[in-house]
Amino acid sequence: MNEFFLEKANKEKPFIFHKMIKVKCEKNLFSQGDKITLDLGNHYVGYFSFVICRHDIYIDAPVELEFKFFENKRDLYDNFENYHGSLCKSWLQRENIFIDNPGKVCLPRRYACRYITIEVKNTPRTAVISDFSFDSVSSADILKLPRIDIPDNTFKRIDEIAVNTLKNCMQFVFEDGPKRDRRLWLGDLRLEALTSYYTLRADNLVRRCLYFFAAGDTNKYGFVPSFVYTYPNFFRGEWDLLDYSLLFVVTVCDYFEHTGDIETIKNLLNICKLQLDSSEKLLDDKGIISCPYTDMTPFIDWCEGLEKNTALHGVYLYALDKFTVLLEKINDSDTEKYKGLLNHGRICARKELFDEKEGIFLNSRDNFQKNVHSQVWMILGGVLEADEAQKVLLSSIYSDDFLSPKTPYMQHYVCEAMIKSGLYKKAFDYIRSFWGKMADEGADTFYEIYSPDDPELSPYGDRMINSMCHAWSCTPAYFIRKYNEHKYFHEN
Ligand code: RAM
């Protein structure tokens, strides 16, 4: 652990804003077996409390209540007993409590929810339960949100939901999801930070999070962790993802672009270089990155059976591309070295990974699997120029022959690739149809994973454990706000 960076991260602990939600409830007399559902009116993250008292005569035994917390309406019908997913069941938000004495009761954990169900499991007599309150918390300073006029109502709603998603993930760090895993992941951070520059401007929080990653020791191959635990003690995450480590570089570059904070860049520059130098060591004799380690894999997307080599090479080029821009701006003496790597990496990609006859990225390294991910990341890596890039995107994104992205995280990069290739209108149509569908379903926040044709989809074997407010889904606010003044109504 690097104490210097850890101290820098710890110093920037953000202020937490509270907003008390008083929850209306028609009923206040509760007897054995009663069950109610409270609706907070929106998705919030925070602490729940209520007041319990006797009704007519003294309650002479403890009152047993069961609480469950749900992030959206559909989940209300879930039966936790049937959970069979791969992640620990304890992530499902519930409490069973025994109340001995009348008075105010505060439930012990922080919850992420819109709906709360309460069931009276056991009570000897009728009790009065009232004053349901939800103390919602976030480190987002909502006054920083620029007020903009978004003429299109669907985009206006998508933007609201996206900002709400980001706000609820902003706690002491940028969390991935306030229900689960409630921690700092690099891939998520990159997208949260990007969205933050156009919305809640939490630059200090971005810096703090970058320092947390810098504080985690690089692994034996030279890569920063893909996630870290930050509270109450700092621990490095133990599942390293190669593309996430490369996104550290990207997050640093974005940070400089939006803040100009040269001091932080100087502190983090060598770690960035190490990510790229360690990646360079993974280039094979044809100049393509591969990941030979068993204890470190690329992530790319939660998409079953996905072959990731081409996409990974794209992430490597994408990081190099951003990094050379940064180096040039700060006049770093290694600029030419990384430019050389970038050019070489692009030439090799075209030669080794592109199938000229088919006109798409298709190759033996990925077992000739057709997937959207490869096309998108190669375009983001700058391997194709705009005309060709457009063709590749249009022939893959809408085709059933290609494995398609499953997470809003990967969908972000699809949109980024469309915009990079000049397909502005298409990108915004895509946002409208993908994120807009979640909005139509009544989402207050955007989900961890979403496939309209497969509502039960979960990377963990059971939808109940999915996070329905997930950081990496917040980027429509970035796209909408960045391009609000122009482009998306234009024809291609
Ligand atoms: C999950 C979380 C997190 C993501 C990783 C790869 O545990 O959804 O957001 O970054 O996977």
Side-chain angles (χ1 to χ4, degrees):
M1 184 192 346
N2 182 310
E3 295 288 349
F4 172 74
F5 291 136
L6 188 59
E7 201 190 311
K8 284 201 163 291
N10 280 331
K11 228 175 55 198
E12 305 250 23
K13 198 166 174 194
F15 179 80
I16 297 288
F17 295 86
H18 292 251
K19 183 181 164 197
M20 191 58 88
I21 315 296
K22 291 279 172 203
V23 196
K24 283 201 201 85
C25 178
E26 305 301 319
K27 179 178 167 72
N28 66 0
L29 287 185
F30 290 85
S31 311
Q32 179 89 18
D34 279 356
K35 193 173 172 180
I36 56 156
T37 300
L38 302 176
D39 180 357
L40 306 187
N42 201 346
H43 183 287
Y44 293 101
V45 178
Y47 302 88
F48 183 59
S49 65
F50 56 90
V51 172
I52 186 163
C53 357
R54 71 189 174 89
H55 174 42
D56 36 21
I57 51 174
Y58 206 83
I59 306 176
D60 80 342
V63 177
E64 183 188 356
L65 300 176
E66 185 182 67
F67 297 82
K68 288 186 186 151
F69 301 82
F70 298 96
E71 295 194 286
N72 74 2
K73 205 166 195 166
R74 185 182 70 163
D75 298 355
L76 268 175
Y77 305 99
D78 288 346
N79 180 351
F80 290 178
E81 296 318 315
N82 297 337
Y83 176 71
H84 56 269
S86 57
L87 298 184
C88 189
K89 192 175 177 179
S90 57
W91 282 120
L92 300 177
Q93 306 180 96
R94 84 160 128 197
E95 301 292 347
N96 217 64
I97 60 162
F98 295 83
I99 305 158
D100 288 307
N101 299 310
K104 184 172 175 182
V105 179
C106 302
L107 295 197
R109 297 185 67 229
R110 199 197 72 192
Y111 311 95
C113 62
R114 169 165 175 173
Y115 300 96
I116 303 168
T117 61
I118 308 175
E119 190 176 344
V120 183
K121 289 291 207 187
N122 283 299
T123 182
R125 290 175 185 152
T126 301
V128 179
I129 310 180
S130 61
D131 292 61
F132 298 105
S133 309
F134 198 87
D135 176 17
S136 72
V137 291
S138 164
S139 59
D141 180 354
I142 211 73
L143 294 177
K144 284 192 178 167
L145 183 70
R147 287 170 167 272
I148 58 156
D149 183 29
I150 303 170
D152 181 299
N153 280 336
T154 304
F155 287 135
K156 195 168 178 270
R157 181 66 192 135
I158 292 176
D159 175 74
E160 272 168 17
I161 300 172
V163 170
N164 203 31
T165 307
L166 179 63
K167 180 200 108 205
N168 288 353
C169 291
M170 284 171 62
Q171 302 295 336
F172 286 116
V173 293
F174 279 105
E175 295 183 4
D176 60 336
K179 167 184 154 187
R180 205 220 80 238
D181 312 329
R182 301 165 58 141
R183 72 186 65 124
L184 181 56
W185 281 89
L186 245 173
D188 304 70
L189 171 65
R190 194 272 155 150
L191 297 186
E192 291 175 285
L194 191 62
T195 306
S196 159
Y197 301 129
Y198 293 85
T199 56
L200 297 162
R201 287 295 328 202
D203 300 356
N204 293 2
L205 193 63
V206 177
R207 182 169 58 236
R208 169 173 157 91
C209 292
L210 286 170
Y211 278 130
F212 271 131
F213 282 110
D217 294 324
T218 49
N219 66 16
K220 56 182 181 247
Y221 315 115
F223 293 106
V224 294
S226 58
F227 73 93
V228 288
Y229 305 94
T230 55
Y231 182 84
N233 299 314
F234 180 83
F235 278 105
R236 183 193 195 288
E238 58 287 321
W239 182 36
D240 291 353
L241 302 165
L242 184 48
D243 47 341
Y244 272 28
S245 301
L246 285 163
L247 289 175
F248 177 81
V249 180
V250 174
T251 314
V252 169
C253 295
D254 291 345
Y255 174 77
F256 183 66
E257 185 187 333
H258 292 280
T259 65
D261 172 1
I262 187 74
E263 189 195 324
T264 302
I265 297 311
K266 285 196 171 142
N267 283 334
L268 300 177
L269 202 63
N270 282 341
I271 303 182
C272 292
K273 288 182 180 174
L274 182 61
Q275 304 316 292
L276 293 164
D277 297 347
S278 307
S279 301
E280 190 198 346
K281 290 193 189 131
L282 299 179
L283 300 180
D284 63 19
D285 56 342
K286 307 275 189 213
I288 303 298
I289 197 168
S290 63
C291 189
Y293 311 130
T294 47
D295 52 353
M296 192 177 187
T297 50
F299 169 64
I300 307 295
D301 189 21
W302 284 124
C303 175
E304 223 179 307
L306 180 69
E307 299 284 351
K308 301 176 177 178
N309 204 161
T310 305
L312 178 63
H313 192 72
V315 181
Y316 166 64
L317 297 178
Y318 181 70
L320 272 172
D321 190 21
K322 302 260 178 204
F323 196 54
T324 50
V325 174
L326 167 73
L327 293 182
E328 212 153 44
K329 270 196 212 147
I330 63 172
N331 273 325
D332 189 273
S333 55
D334 283 335
T335 312
E336 288 311 312
K337 168 184 158 189
Y338 291 100
K339 270 189 172 175
L341 282 172
L342 175 60
N343 285 337
H344 182 65
R346 282 175 173 162
I347 292 167
C348 295
R350 174 84 199 211
K351 198 161 156 235
E352 296 299 320
L353 305 175
F354 193 68
D355 183 324
E356 299 287 344
K357 232 168 78 205
E358 294 266 351
I360 53 169
F361 290 92
L362 187 70
N363 53 72
S364 59
R365 282 184 174 75
D366 280 335
N367 289 318
F368 298 99
Q369 180 187 76
K370 290 184 176 173
N371 64 57
V372 171
H373 310 69
S374 299
Q375 320 308 318
V376 163
W377 276 113
M378 282 284 104
I379 287 162
L380 290 173
V383 179
L384 299 181
E385 292 302 326
D387 278 5
E388 260 187 319
Q390 288 194 3
K391 264 194 224 146
V392 165
L393 283 177
L394 295 175
S395 66
S396 60
I397 289 172
Y398 306 104
S399 161
D400 291 339
D401 295 345
F402 287 72
L403 268 187
S404 59
K406 295 291 179 273
T407 55
Y409 165 81
M410 186 60 215
Q411 299 289 20
H412 164 89
Y413 289 108
V414 173
C415 297
E416 208 179 299
M418 284 181 172
I419 286 177
K420 184 167 197 253
S421 323
L423 294 168
Y424 290 94
K425 170 115 184 4
K426 284 261 175 332
F428 280 91
D429 286 349
Y430 199 84
I431 292 171
R432 189 191 289 281
S433 71
F434 181 72
W435 279 272
K437 268 212 185 86
M438 284 188 254
D440 289 347
E441 285 178 9
D444 298 305
T445 48
F446 289 125
Y447 317 155
E448 174 178 22
I449 188 151
Y450 182 62
S451 173
D453 312 329
D454 185 2
E456 292 301 312
L457 186 68
S458 170
Y460 321 106
D462 193 319
R463 177 189 49 75
M464 276 190 240
I465 210 82
N466 289 1
S467 153
M468 305 306 275
C469 171
H470 215 68
W472 66 22
S473 318
C474 71
T475 61
Y478 153 75
F479 289 118
I480 291 169
R481 284 163 183 265
K482 182 166 179 184
Y483 299 101
N484 191 40
E485 300 294 317
H486 47 115
K487 307 289 191 201
Y488 65 83
F489 291 120
H490 296 202
E491 290 300 325
N492 300 307

